[in-house]
Amino acid sequence: MNFIGNLIWIICGGLFSAIGWWLAGILWCITIVGIPVGLQCFKMSSLSLNPFGKEVIDEGGAVSCLLNIIWFFASGLELAIGNFVIGCVLCVTIIGIPFGMQFFKIARLALFPFGARIVKITY
């Protein structure tokens, strides 16, 4: 079921979310100081392509908090708003609610991605 959900997810807007993360990663990697942030963006881009069957666990520390504050004002707010709007549009229909909930998960992650660990859910 995760494979089918992820396939439909890519069609319903997951590709656009992944492209947004990818573009943010490229912009951050332009400078040497921004490379760690850019690499985090590329990791989040892979989550945006297949979010079903994965969960986000927060494990932040002091450095993660500082990076999240910088990230929030530099790139996080724009990515979070984009994912939130797509999630709201998908939640209009009953069929789109699971996909909208995944966009909300990614929007929350877009605000504070540092210190977050992505784990695969096993049943």
Side-chain angles (χ1 to χ4, degrees), residues 23-65:
L23 290 174
I26 289 175
L27 290 175
W28 277 100
C29 284
I30 289 174
T31 65
I32 293 175
V33 176
I35 289 175
V37 179
L39 294 177
Q40 185 75 6
C41 290
F42 294 136
K43 275 198 285 188
M44 296 305 147
S45 175
S46 69
L47 173 70
S48 291
L49 283 176
N50 49 347
F52 287 97
K54 295 182 181 169
E55 186 179 337
V56 178
I57 298 173
D58 295 321
E59 298 178 338
V63 176
S64 297
C65 181

Side-chain angles (χ1 to χ4, degrees), residues 4 12 15-16 18 23 25 51 58 82 92 100 102 105 111 115 122:
I4 294 171
C12 289
L15 184 63
F16 295 119
L23 290 174
D58 295 321
V92 171
Q102 296 299 320
K105 175 172 71 173
L111 289 176
T122 57

Side-chain angles (χ1 to χ4, degrees), residues 88-100:
C88 288
V89 169
L90 285 172
C91 283
V92 171
T93 64
I94 293 175
I95 296 172
I97 290 175
F99 301 105

Side-chain angles (χ1 to χ4, degrees), residues 7 9 12 40 56 60 63 68 70 74 81-82 86 88 92 97 107 115-116 118-119:
L7 186 63
W9 165 262
C12 289
Q40 185 75 6
V56 178
V63 176
N68 280 328
I70 295 169
I81 289 172
I86 295 172
C88 288
V92 171
I97 290 175
I118 301 164
V119 294

